[in-house]
Amino acid sequence: LVASSLLLPIATMKYILVTGGVISGIGKGIIASSVGTILKSCGLRVTAIKIDPYINIDAGTFSPYEHGEVFVLDDGGEVDLDLGNYERFLDIRLTKDNNLTTGKIYQSVINKERRGDYLGKTVQVVPHITDAIQEWVMRQARVPVDDDGVEPQICVIELGGTVGDIESMPFIEAFRQFQFKVKRENFCNIHVSLVPQPSATGEQKTKPTQNSVRELRGLGLSPDLIMCRCSTPLENSVKEKISMFCHVEPEQVICVADVSSIYRVPLLLEDQGVVGYFCQRLDLPIETRPRKMLTKWKEMSDRSDRLLEQCSIALVGKYTKFTDSYASVIKALEHSALAINHKLEIKYIDSADLEPNTLTEEPVKYHEAWQKLCSADGILVPGGFGVRGTEGKIQAINWARKQKKPFLGVCLGMQLAVCEFARNMLGWEDANSTEFDPESKHPVVIDMPEHNPGQMGGTMRLGKRRTIFKTNNSILRRLYGDVEYVDERHRHRFEVNPELKEHFEGKGFHFVGQDIEGERMEVIELDDHPYFVGVQYHPEFTSRPIKPSPPYFGLLLASAGKLQSYLHKGCRLSPRIVTSQWMEWLF
């Protein structure tokens, strides 16, 4: 099906730049991912780069309330969460250099200047910074991102922030020059803008888009496609008005209205002729085969909209006021719920609200939090840093263990499960992590040997590491397909104390997965419980829409009461799911 589109190779790399206007957080990441998806569906090899204009070297030291979660790559890169969207949509593996920041660019230029690479010249934003940006993009675009190790043909570049920001000016200027360096037929600009619809009039307003495009054109970039984010589909008169004032054909104005699922966005773009436009504009050797290209996405979206049975998961965390803080966790839960044909309901619980102090100060909030926890089908305690809310998480874990509610602890969630068991089953009342109580007589979680306390950035155990299963009868091992080991991504500073392992295992609390040396505890499971699992790594980072992460998948199966039947059937799903997986393999 795809082979015919690969007969004509692309001689030159094609670049698609995605810029945004009016407001940030408009959906550039999803649109960039969707553009890559429809091109990959045509048989082309696609990579992606995210540019963040902030001065930080990477996203590693951000508060989750600043930019959402920190996404971790195989090579240990701590990057913007949009790279998670690229990996999930395109099913690729990116590296830390696919996330370019102002900090990285200036650091590389200053290092060159110190080495004398500029031969005594005055180092300036133009040409030195702009040249460095262009060189970085051209170099990174050619790095293979698929398992076959073949060089990509298309590079989708998302420029963060909004056009007109002071901090993004060097990047805009770099791409103004870049479009001439690589030639017009190899460079295309998509501008994502907002078309607001004030409730007072109900009329779609084009002025913000006009101003945004005028600013972009004034800086030397003229958009080829204007993608309009709106709450309802664009009216034809509005589309024609944008066309007239923004110097594009009406066919180049694409409506990206709110949809029921982000998996519908590639379908939305394909329906409006985006593939055909790219074929003509970038001279791509592909056939335009309307509905066949994105069959798996349509099937997945339709099935998502038809789900009737519901499964609720209590997400007990510190950053629940901003859901982007748990973007990959939420996506992993959605993938797993879709795989078992259940509609997902996430009950967000601030862990601090479960603590006794809240009962005294804000009793209503306390009782509401506990009502959410007790009514959920399963409980998830994700990762986090800092002492705030940890006692509330331990309370939730205690309830899950005693009530035999399906439970998954990720990173800090696993460490706190160890603390809870030590306090209540081993009788170590002060058991804690040295992160929270350095003076504890029972330090069940301790500093990691590789951690350097002097510097915060890049000092954790990061990236893909191997976990060896130490037993054959582990539930998680069976969920992974009865493999001997798994490679998953890590991001943590503290570890379960290996010297205390025997105390736990004697009480039925097993460390079924460990690192290669057997010194680091990676996976916990509890006897006589439907599903009580903790993992030191972050399995959500490698979850995919058609291939959900096994720990999350197990949580959803157990929460829906289907785990035992799934295991007894040899880890096979219903025929509907098997059909869905065949669609994935076909494409």
Side-chain angles (χ1 to χ4, degrees):
L1 195 63
V2 170
S4 60
S5 65
L6 294 174
L7 294 177
L8 294 171
I10 299 178
T12 312
M13 175 68 69
K14 309 289 182 179
Y15 300 91
I16 299 172
L17 174 67
V18 180
T19 56
V22 186
I23 59 171
S24 59
I26 201 171
K28 296 187 298 296
I30 297 297
I31 287 172
S33 302
S34 300
V35 166
T37 299
I38 58 177
L39 291 173
K40 186 165 184 174
S41 300
C42 297
L44 298 169
R45 293 185 299 278
V46 183
T47 186
I49 293 173
K50 171 70 190 294
I51 295 175
D52 287 303
Y54 47 67
I55 297 174
N56 303 62
I57 299 294
D58 60 27
T61 55
F62 280 147
S63 158
Y65 285 127
E66 285 281 327
H67 284 265
E69 76 169 4
V70 177
F71 191 80
V72 178
L73 302 170
D74 279 352
D75 65 356
E78 297 174 286
V79 297
D80 187 85
L81 60 83
D82 275 319
L83 274 81
N85 286 324
Y86 305 155
E87 287 205 342
R88 283 186 286 269
F89 270 74
L90 299 169
D91 195 18
I92 55 179
R93 301 267 176 157
L94 300 173
T95 67
K96 59 187 175 187
D97 286 342
N98 287 85
N99 191 193
L100 178 56
T101 68
T102 297
K104 284 182 180 178
I105 285 294
Y106 273 82
Q107 188 180 56
S108 69
V109 169
I110 289 169
N111 287 343
K112 282 183 177 180
E113 188 273 333
R114 291 289 85 189
R115 289 198 306 265
D117 291 5
Y118 297 116
L119 300 173
K121 290 186 183 300
T122 303
V123 180
Q124 297 175 290
V125 173
V126 181
H128 301 100
I129 295 294
T130 52
D131 282 353
I133 293 167
Q134 294 171 63
E135 288 162 12
W136 190 300
V137 167
M138 293 179 79
R139 181 178 67 250
Q140 196 59 30
R142 299 194 175 279
V143 175
V145 291
D146 292 304
D147 293 334
D148 58 11
V150 181
E151 191 176 291
Q153 300 165 298
I154 308 269
C155 180
V156 181
I157 307 155
E158 179 194 346
L159 176 57
T162 53
V163 169
D165 292 345
I166 291 175
E167 56 192 8
S168 65
M169 288 299 183
F171 294 99
I172 296 284
E173 171 58 22
F175 285 109
R176 184 195 68 78
Q177 300 170 20
F178 190 69
Q179 64 187 330
F180 301 110
K181 180 181 287 188
V182 298
K183 308 301 180 194
R184 175 177 161 76
E185 64 272 15
N186 300 318
F187 180 86
C188 176
N189 177 212
I190 297 172
H191 189 62
V192 185
S193 186
L194 178 69
V195 177
Q197 194 168 359
S199 55
T201 61
E203 181 186 2
Q204 292 178 327
K205 296 294 186 181
T206 66
K207 193 64 73 179
T209 298
Q210 291 179 43
N211 290 337
S212 177
V213 171
R214 186 183 304 115
E215 174 122 33
L216 183 64
R217 295 185 69 212
L219 295 169
L221 284 173
S222 190
D224 298 284
L225 289 174
I226 299 174
M227 296 204 175
C228 300
R229 287 285 292 112
C230 42
S231 52
T232 56
L234 276 185
E235 297 164 15
N236 280 335
S237 59
V238 174
K239 190 178 272 197
E240 286 166 5
K241 189 174 182 182
I242 292 172
S243 163
M244 180 171 64
F245 283 104
C246 296
H247 200 65
V248 292
E249 296 283 347
E251 295 75 31
Q252 293 169 260
V253 180
I254 307 296
C255 167
V256 188
D258 294 346
V259 286
S260 58
S261 162
I262 59 170
Y263 304 125
R264 289 206 174 276
V265 178
L267 303 171
L268 199 65
L269 301 185
E270 196 261 344
D271 281 344
Q272 295 178 72
V274 170
V275 172
Y277 179 79
F278 283 138
C279 281
Q280 163 258 315
R281 174 68 179 76
L282 294 174
D283 191 24
L284 298 177
I286 56 177
E287 301 170 16
T288 54
R289 295 161 305 192
R291 302 306 308 165
K292 290 182 182 178
M293 290 195 310
L294 295 167
T295 307
K296 68 165 183 172
W297 291 91
K298 185 177 189 312
E299 188 270 342
M300 192 163 55
S301 302
D302 289 346
R303 196 154 55 84
S304 176
D305 291 344
R306 287 196 305 264
L307 298 176
L308 298 174
E309 290 184 274
Q310 188 164 293
C311 185
S312 61
I313 300 294
L315 195 159
V316 184
K318 290 173 61 176
Y319 317 113
T320 51
K321 292 183 180 67
F322 186 43
T323 56
D324 268 0
S325 303
Y326 299 110
S328 292
V329 169
I330 293 164
K331 291 287 179 280
L333 290 171
E334 289 174 353
H335 300 162
S336 297
L338 187 59
I340 63 168
N341 288 317
H342 276 60
K343 192 183 289 288
L344 176 68
E345 180 194 3
I346 300 178
K347 297 173 184 270
Y348 296 98
I349 301 172
D350 188 324
S351 55
D353 293 345
L354 299 170
E355 296 175 356
N357 287 346
T358 308
L359 176 59
T360 309
E361 296 165 8
E362 296 180 86
V364 174
K365 191 177 278 190
Y366 175 85
H367 289 296
E368 283 176 352
W370 274 101
Q371 193 277 330
K372 282 184 189 176
L373 184 75
C374 297
S375 61
D377 298 315
I379 296 170
L380 169 66
V381 179
F385 294 93
V387 70
R388 185 181 69 81
T390 52
E391 292 301 320
K393 291 180 180 181
I394 288 175
Q395 295 279 345
I397 294 165
N398 177 262
W399 194 86
R401 181 177 59 79
K402 287 182 174 177
Q403 301 298 319
K404 295 193 182 298
K405 280 279 183 184
F407 163 78
L408 174 63
V410 175
C411 195
L412 177 63
M414 170 187 147
Q415 295 172 5
L416 293 178
V418 173
C419 293
E420 188 279 329
F421 193 87
R423 291 180 187 182
N424 297 300
M425 296 302 291
L426 300 182
W428 301 343
E429 292 183 6
D430 74 330
N432 213 330
S433 166
T434 55
E435 179 183 5
F436 313 130
D437 181 8
E439 305 303 320
S440 171
K441 292 178 183 176
H442 296 95
V444 292
V445 178
I446 58 172
D447 287 14
M448 191 176 69
E450 7 180 305
H451 168 44
N452 170 19
Q455 189 177 350
M456 291 296 286
T459 59
M460 290 183 281
R461 187 168 187 245
L462 289 164
K464 186 168 75 172
R465 306 294 174 96
R466 181 156 294 182
T467 295
I468 312 288
F469 286 109
K470 297 295 183 180
T471 176
N472 291 326
N473 60 359
S474 156
I475 290 176
L476 201 56
R477 176 173 180 159
R478 293 169 70 185
L479 288 168
Y480 271 105
D482 202 26
V483 295
E484 292 183 2
Y485 62 84
V486 291
D487 293 317
E488 293 278 13
R489 299 175 183 178
H490 293 67
R491 183 177 185 250
H492 61 99
R493 286 194 176 95
F494 292 81
E495 298 273 0
V496 173
N497 190 341
E499 295 178 5
L500 304 175
K501 182 174 70 170
E502 284 73 20
H503 296 279
F504 290 89
E505 299 207 320
K507 293 278 189 176
F509 190 96
H510 300 288
F511 298 97
V512 299
Q514 299 171 21
D515 73 341
I516 296 173
E517 289 81 22
E519 294 175 356
R520 300 169 191 269
M521 305 300 110
E522 295 280 0
V523 182
I524 61 164
E525 289 182 14
L526 182 64
D527 287 345
D528 302 321
H529 194 287
Y531 190 79
F532 191 97
V533 172
V535 290
Q536 183 60 73
Y537 49 80
H538 288 267
E540 64 270 17
F541 293 145
T542 51
S543 184
R544 300 288 183 265
I546 306 283
K547 191 181 177 186
S549 165
Y552 287 90
F553 186 47
L555 175 66
L556 265 293
L557 281 169
S559 302
K562 296 183 176 183
L563 178 60
Q564 290 308 315
S565 64
Y566 175 78
L567 295 173
H568 288 148
K569 288 177 184 174
C571 296
R572 280 204 301 259
L573 286 167
S574 68
R576 276 186 294 175
I577 309 299
V578 174
T579 304
S580 171
Q581 287 174 332
W582 273 109
M583 295 310 299
E584 162 73 1
W585 294 331
L586 266 174
F587 289 90

